[in-house]
């Protein structure tokens, strides 16, 4: 009887151990790891900050370029300005930076101006190609590598009437370093033109003195003085 009772208790203990092991109720069970949050600042927060910075840069950059275009228009296209004195019709068709503007806005950093109505000249097209101040990548890259992109440019294209321009006439106007580079690298400029500095009769005829930063080379002094 005693042996049978001991065997029964041993069997119950084994069954209890088995139930604890396979039932998951023992001390050997591991806690489940916590679930990842749906939002983490180290990822989503950085993305939100970049988007906000890009929007701020786009608005501020476009506003700055628009202000520069308006300042250029006020300086050169207003009543009594250089274009008003030389052309009878001014203004480009398109959506300008402001209501009633003579400029046409081609993009956040590009504006165009057109004028016509001058003797010997079909018209002039001025393109303001400004820095991409609205582009965060360009702004940051330009801060790290200054001068990597083109500066603000004002490109003037003047088309003369074919019957009023003699073939083969050469005229160069630009800043001193650019004219020097062109003269060195392009033989016709070096061989056919000379530096023009208006003085004497040329000034009496209406020619203007040049800025110290600019240089003119021309095949004909008369052509340079007229232009």
């Amino acid at each position: 009887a005693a042996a049978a009772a001991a065997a029964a208790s041993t069997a119950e203990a084994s069954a209890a151990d088995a139930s604890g092991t396979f039932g998951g109720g023992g001390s050997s069970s591991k806690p489940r790891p916590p679930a990842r949050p749906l939002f983490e600042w180290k990822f989503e927060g950085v993305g939100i900050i970049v988007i906000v910075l890009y929007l701020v840069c786009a608005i501020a950059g476009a506003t700055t370029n628009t202000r520069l275009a308006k300042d250029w228009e006020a300086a050169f296209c207003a009543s009594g300005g250089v274009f008003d004195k030389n052309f009878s019709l001014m203004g480009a068709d398109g959506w300008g930076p402001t209501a009633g503007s003579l400029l046409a806005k081609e993009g956040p950093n590009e504006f165009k101006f057109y004028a016509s109505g001058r003797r010997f000249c079909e018209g002039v097209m001025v393109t303001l190609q400004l820095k991409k101040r609205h582009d965060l990548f360009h702004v940051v890259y330009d801060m790290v590598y200054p001068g990597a992109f083109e500066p603000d440019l004002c490109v003037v294209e003047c088309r003369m009437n074919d019957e009023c321009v003699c073939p083969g006439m050469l005229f160069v106007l630009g800043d001193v370093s650019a004219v020097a580079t062109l003269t060195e690298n392009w033989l016709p400029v070096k061989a056919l033109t000379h530096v023009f500095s208006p003085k004497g009769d040329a000034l009496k005829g209406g020619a203007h003195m040049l800025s110290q930063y600019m240089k003119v080379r021309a095949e004909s002094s008369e052509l340079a003085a007229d232009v």
Side-chain angles (χ1 to χ4, degrees):
S9 61
T10 302
E12 291 176 358
S14 299
D17 291 340
S19 63
T21 301
F22 295 104
S27 60
S28 60
S29 61
K30 296 181 180 180
R32 299 179 63 183
R36 291 185 60 183
L38 297 178
F39 184 88
E40 293 187 10
W41 275 107
K42 60 182 180 181
F43 299 116
E44 288 84 351
V46 172
I48 292 176
I49 293 175
V50 171
I51 293 174
V52 172
L53 288 176
Y54 196 92
L55 293 175
V56 172
C57 181
I59 296 173
T63 302
T64 300
N65 284 340
T66 299
R67 177 178 55 80
L68 291 175
K70 290 168 61 178
D71 291 344
W72 184 91
E73 181 181 3
F76 297 101
C77 306
S79 179
V82 60
F83 289 104
D84 181 60
K85 291 180 179 179
N86 287 277
F87 296 92
S88 60
L89 299 175
M90 298 189 302
D93 294 333
W95 177 53
T98 57
S101 173
L102 298 175
L103 299 177
K105 186 175 182 180
E106 301 291 323
N109 65 310
E110 183 175 336
F111 302 84
K112 289 185 179 295
F113 169 79
Y114 178 77
S116 64
R118 177 184 170 90
R119 190 178 58 162
F120 308 137
C121 178
E122 292 185 7
V124 61
M125 175 68 74
V126 180
T127 302
L128 298 180
Q129 191 71 43
L130 307 178
K131 288 184 177 181
K132 294 184 178 181
R133 295 179 173 87
H134 62 286
D135 192 325
L136 181 62
F137 169 76
H138 276 73
V139 172
V140 174
Y141 196 89
D142 192 50
M143 292 174 61
V144 177
Y145 302 101
F149 298 109
E150 289 284 348
D152 293 330
L153 296 178
C154 176
V155 182
V156 181
E157 302 173 74
C158 185
R159 182 172 179 81
M160 309 299 291
N161 293 332
D162 294 335
E163 64 274 10
C164 298
V165 179
C166 299
M169 299 300 290
L170 200 55
F171 175 84
V172 179
L173 168 66
D175 63 79
V176 175
S177 60
V179 173
T181 301
L182 183 63
T183 305
E184 186 67 26
N185 297 329
W186 197 32
L187 182 60
V189 175
K190 186 175 183 180
L192 300 177
T193 65
H194 62 276
V195 177
F196 173 74
S197 180
K199 57 185 177 180
D201 294 338
L203 291 175
K204 293 179 181 179
H208 297 276
M209 293 296 294
L210 288 172
S211 166
Q212 59 178 335
Y213 304 107
M214 305 295 289
K215 179 180 285 188
V216 169
R217 292 186 68 96
E219 188 175 355
S220 165
S221 298
E222 291 77 11
L223 170 66
D226 289 343
V227 174

